[in-house]
Each structure stands twice: as structure tokens, then as C-alpha cells.
Amino acid sequence: MERTVISSRSRYARHVVELVTSPDGISRRVISTGPQETIRTRARRYRWRDGDRVDLLAYRHYGDATQWWRIADVNPHVMDWTEPPPGTIIRIPHVT
């Protein structure tokens, strides 16, 4: 049985976990955050490299690995942060 671990203090605690199947037939559970909202922020572009991890990018840019969600929020095209393909362009938002 696959479990999703979301802490009761998580910003995702009240969201629904859904099963989504990609065009290549692979199914995975994702957190449904509801309708997309427009986020306006300044961000720098970054090309994902082999061996990158979103938590390490957050640490490099914000000094705190737990802030990885800032990057995830402005990159809804990345559905799985465990292994984005090298070369994927993401945005890393500035924090004010």
C-alpha cells in the first residue's frame, strides 16, 4: 500500500491527493492544489542538471532547504520533483 505523508502542519494538509496518469501510461499520486492561480514574482531561469535536487537548490538560493516549495509553486509544469529531466527549464523566484 502506497502512503502519502503530509504533516498536519504542512501547507498541503487540506489538499486532496489524486491519482494522475501521464500520456506515457505512468500513474502517480499528486497533491491537487485546486485551480491554478496567477503568481506574479521576479524569478531567474535555471536549467536543471543531472544530480540536481530541489531541496539543494532551495538551500543554495534561500539558505533553507525546506523552502523548496517556493520553487515548486512557480513551476507547475514539473509534476515530479524527484527526477526532472536534465535540461528542464525552471524558475527560481526571488524572495523579498
Side-chain angles (χ1 to χ4, degrees):
M1 179 173 148
E2 183 180 333
R3 292 183 355 176
T4 303
V5 179
I6 300 173
S7 157
S8 62
R9 296 181 311 178
S10 168
R11 62 196 301 265
Y12 298 108
R14 293 193 177 125
H15 291 82
V16 175
V17 176
E18 298 179 297
L19 186 64
V20 174
T21 303
S22 63
D24 58 4
I26 297 172
S27 296
R28 61 179 60 104
R29 295 190 184 286
V30 298
I31 298 170
S32 175
T33 58
Q36 293 292 319
E37 63 184 75
T38 301
I39 299 172
R40 296 185 64 97
T41 185
R42 291 183 332 137
R44 66 178 60 104
R45 290 170 42 106
Y46 179 81
R47 184 178 304 272
W48 195 268
R49 292 180 272 198
D50 194 32
D52 276 342
R53 287 187 6 208
V54 70
D55 59 328
L56 296 179
L57 287 176
Y59 183 78
R60 186 180 320 149
H61 292 278
Y62 309 128
D64 183 352
T66 66
Q67 297 298 301
W68 65 269
W69 59 269
R70 293 183 184 278
I71 298 169
D73 275 359
V74 299
N75 291 282
H77 62 286
V78 178
M79 295 298 291
D80 181 1
W81 284 97
T82 59
E83 290 188 39
T88 300
I89 302 295
I90 65 167
R91 294 177 301 277
I92 299 177
H94 293 275
V95 176
T96 56

